[in-house]
Amino acid sequence: MSYIHIENAGKTFEENGIEFTALSEVNLDIEKGEFICLLGPSGCGKSTLLNAIAGFDLVNHGSVQISGKEVTSPSTKNVTIFQNYGLLPWRTVVKNVELGLEAQGIDKKTRREKALEYLKLVKLEDFANSFPRQLSGGMKQRVAIARALAVEPDIIFMDEPFGALDAITRMKLQDDILDICKNEKKTIIFVTHDIDEAVYLADRIVVMTPNPGKVKGVIPVPLHHFRDRTSGDFLLVRDKIFDLLNMKQEDNIEYTI
Amino acid sequence: MKRLISIKYVVVSIVILVALWQFAFTISDYSEALFPSPFMAFQALVEMIADGTLIASIKASMYRFIIGYGLSVIIAVFLGLILGSLPRVFNYVNPTLQLLRPISPTAWMPFVVLLFGIGDLPAIVIIFIAAFFPVLLSTVAAVSKIDDIYFRVSDNFGIKQPALMWKVILPAAFPGIANAIHLALGSAWIFLVAGEMVGAQSGLGYQIIDARNNIRADILLATILVIGLIGLLLDFLIGLAEKRILKAWGGES
Ligand SMILES: Nc1ncnc2c1ncn2[C@@H]1O[C@H](COP(=O)(O)OP(=O)(O)O)[C@@H](O)[C@H]1O
Ligand SMILES: [Mg+2]
């Protein structure tokens, strides 16, 4: 069985007695080391699916398993990076990065060394003693990335992590995250509504549509980590996504290019 | 420069107060013993400082204040952090709090004196009550308003109680708590005087009653001024401490 195995996963919310299906019959298998993008318009259940895999908000139909074990709560082995960074404003940058290490019972000195090492990785070692409010959005998200990497997680979940950033900063961070992935070889599940971002980053793109939220198709991106935003291949994958999002096709077509 | 300007405001403001007082003294028909001039009050102040009564009163009052207010704040914040983290328990506690909260601390006074007699305790209890409810309720509110993302992050990184309390909940709720602690200081100081007027034989509040009994309006007014000045000073000091902590915890400097 695959590393992450999602079978018939569904999620309904009840509000004022009315049942609302946010996610319906999702079947998905993800292998170790894959970079997966969940792509789709707002409201299609991307966050719902991500939170279900991360263990924050469980599904109420079907099952979500990681390494053969049903997900029941967030795990310290898998870290989530949020759109609004989730940094603790009362802690300095380096103390933020140390947060996850504190719970692991690592001694103070090692903790600090490790935190600084990961801050260096995201090129923020000069800001170790700044507070989050003194940083730009892009820098804050890099701190969050360093904090996630510092605990050496198996999976990193990201929910529109660059959504609040300007286009140029976003592209820089996309390159950074690809670089880091190449070196650290993590499994990454990345939510975005930006088609270009998905094509640029993902090994496979899970295209989702709303009402009810479901997986419309999974598109492999055969560009590996040699990407050019203007190449023909890039545009080809983009076209496939447009097709999938605009045209009424049968569910769950696996595209191969 | 800014400091100089604010000193200017203070000086002008106080000069106006003294001038109005002097004016009222000049036109009033009351005897000097009942309604003294600013200068007479000042002389009384000097007299009280010289014979040591003022220092003794301030000492007695400060002792009660620090015990009553300090205990109240510590217990209220502690309980507030716990109740704020346990909303279901708070649902059961809240009605009682809402019932007790609108009761003026002075209303407890006779009861407290009956129980504990005259001495330090009544004033301490009154100060305690005065600070307790606002700090407790604000702490609960501040905790319940903490952004859920901090809990998700803590959960994700395996930060559990009791570390969660002082690593996340306390600093996240601190701005709201500090504000309440600051406000409560003012009301606690107000009720200290009320408490000492009824339940004590020493302290600034008692000194006012004593001055009345001896028909020494000059001492009475001088004491009132001292009470105001100390209140101002305490407020300034706690404001300073509040800013310090907020700054250490990454707030706007
Ligand atoms: N806690 C909730 N209660 C009710 N409805 C919710 C809740 N969370 C999400 N939804 C609904 O589920 C749908 C999918 O939400 P979400 O997964 O956040 O979408 P996306 O992340 O793709 O924008 C939306 O229509 C949203 O309104
Ligand atoms: Mg979302």
Side-chain angles (χ1 to χ4, degrees), chain A residues 81 85 87-88 91-97 118-119 122 124 127 130 132 135-150 173:
Chain A
I81 295 176
Y85 324 118
L87 299 180
L88 308 182
R91 283 182 169 230
T92 57
V93 164
V94 67
K95 288 284 288 173
N96 260 287
V97 179
Y118 280 95
L119 274 178
V122 296
L124 282 177
F127 293 86
S130 304
L135 307 185
S136 68
M139 289 155 89
K140 282 184 203 164
Q141 199 55 289
R142 270 157 46 204
V143 176
I145 291 169
R147 184 173 68 180
L149 290 172
L173 275 173

Side-chain angles (χ1 to χ4, degrees), chain B residues 62 82 92 124 198 205 222 243:
Chain B
M62 284 316 290
I82 292 172
Y92 288 99
I124 291 174
V198 183
K243 260 193 210 137

Side-chain angles (χ1 to χ4, degrees), chain B residues 103-173:
Chain B
I103 302 168
S104 163
T106 39
W108 292 102
M109 206 60 221
F111 180 61
V112 172
V113 173
L114 271 181
L115 277 187
F116 302 114
I118 302 280
D120 285 333
L121 241 107
I124 291 174
V125 171
I126 293 310
I127 297 165
F128 186 95
I129 295 172
F132 186 74
F133 292 105
V135 173
L136 175 64
L137 289 167
S138 301
T139 304
V140 171
V143 171
S144 63
K145 267 189 268 173
I146 295 175
D147 195 330
D148 193 46
I149 194 166
Y150 299 136
F151 292 114
R152 288 194 169 212
V153 167
S154 316
D155 203 8
N156 199 172
F157 285 114
I159 311 281
K160 296 192 190 70
Q161 294 289 17
L164 184 70
M165 189 58 89
W166 54 271
K167 282 187 183 173
V168 178
I169 296 177
L170 179 61

Side-chain angles (χ1 to χ4, degrees), chain B residues 25 28-37 40 215 217-218:
Chain B
F25 171 76
S28 89
D29 295 334
Y30 287 108
S31 83
E32 281 183 5
L34 291 179
F35 187 48
S37 70
M40 291 160 73
I215 321 181
D218 52 345

Side-chain angles (χ1 to χ4, degrees), chain B:
Chain B
M1 195 59 206
K2 221 171 173 180
R3 180 155 250 156
L4 238 67
I5 289 171
S6 72
I7 286 174
K8 185 179 82 179
Y9 292 143
V10 170
V11 169
V12 170
S13 182
I14 287 176
V15 165
I16 289 174
L17 174 71
V18 172
L20 283 174
W21 179 358
Q22 180 64 44
F23 177 72
F25 171 76
T26 314
I27 61 163
S28 89
D29 295 334
Y30 287 108
S31 83
E32 281 183 5
L34 291 179
F35 187 48
S37 70
F39 182 67
M40 291 160 73
F42 178 74
Q43 277 180 317
L45 182 67
V46 172
E47 180 194 322
M48 283 193 297
I49 293 171
D51 69 11
T53 49
L54 185 65
I55 297 300
S57 292
I58 290 176
K59 263 191 192 155
S61 289
M62 284 316 290
Y63 166 74
R64 292 168 191 147
F65 183 76
I66 289 167
I67 304 265
Y69 176 72
L71 276 181
S72 181
V73 163
I74 290 168
I75 295 173
V77 169
F78 184 74
L79 277 179
L81 289 173
I82 292 172
L83 287 175
S85 311
L86 302 169
R88 269 179 235 159
V89 176
F90 182 66
N91 285 341
Y92 288 99
V93 181
N94 194 27
T96 305
L97 290 180
Q98 297 303 336
L99 175 75
L100 296 176
R101 188 173 66 126
I103 302 168
S104 163
T106 39
W108 292 102
M109 206 60 221
F111 180 61
V112 172
V113 173
L114 271 181
L115 277 187
F116 302 114
I118 302 280
D120 285 333
L121 241 107
I124 291 174
V125 171
I126 293 310
I127 297 165
F128 186 95
I129 295 172
F132 186 74
F133 292 105
V135 173
L136 175 64
L137 289 167
S138 301
T139 304
V140 171
V143 171
S144 63
K145 267 189 268 173
I146 295 175
D147 195 330
D148 193 46
I149 194 166
Y150 299 136
F151 292 114
R152 288 194 169 212
V153 167
S154 316
D155 203 8
N156 199 172
F157 285 114
I159 311 281
K160 296 192 190 70
Q161 294 289 17
L164 184 70
M165 189 58 89
W166 54 271
K167 282 187 183 173
V168 178
I169 296 177
L170 179 61
F174 182 74
I177 296 173
N179 191 37
I181 289 177
H182 193 157
L183 289 177
L185 179 110
S187 46
W189 186 245
I190 288 170
F191 283 106
L192 165 82
V193 175
E196 285 179 340
M197 286 173 78
V198 183
Q201 298 269 284
S202 61
L204 292 165
Y206 171 75
Q207 193 171 300
I208 286 180
I209 296 295
D210 192 48
R212 182 205 60 188
N213 291 343
N214 296 319
I215 321 181
R216 285 293 303 269
D218 52 345
I219 289 180
L220 200 155
L221 286 176
T223 309
I224 286 177
L225 282 179
V226 169
I227 290 168
L229 275 175
I230 294 177
L232 205 65
L233 184 71
L234 288 172
D235 186 78
F236 172 76
L237 289 177
I238 199 150
L240 220 60
E242 187 184 352
K243 260 193 210 137
R244 267 244 165 119
I245 300 177
L246 279 175
K247 206 177 155 192
W249 279 350
E252 232 75 39
S253 51

Side-chain angles (χ1 to χ4, degrees), chain A residues 130-185:
Chain A
S130 304
F131 282 102
R133 71 176 166 83
Q134 298 167 308
L135 307 185
S136 68
M139 289 155 89
K140 282 184 203 164
Q141 199 55 289
R142 270 157 46 204
V143 176
I145 291 169
R147 184 173 68 180
L149 290 172
V151 297
E152 295 170 19
D154 297 334
I155 310 173
I156 300 179
F157 298 102
M158 300 199 220
D159 194 347
E160 307 203 20
F162 309 150
L165 308 177
D166 64 87
I168 295 166
T169 308
R170 196 182 320 153
M171 284 196 214
K172 271 214 187 92
L173 275 173
Q174 287 166 0
D175 285 332
D176 287 350
I177 202 91
L178 280 181
D179 267 355
I180 290 165
C181 289
K182 235 187 303 182
N183 300 330
E184 307 260 331
K185 214 51 211 154

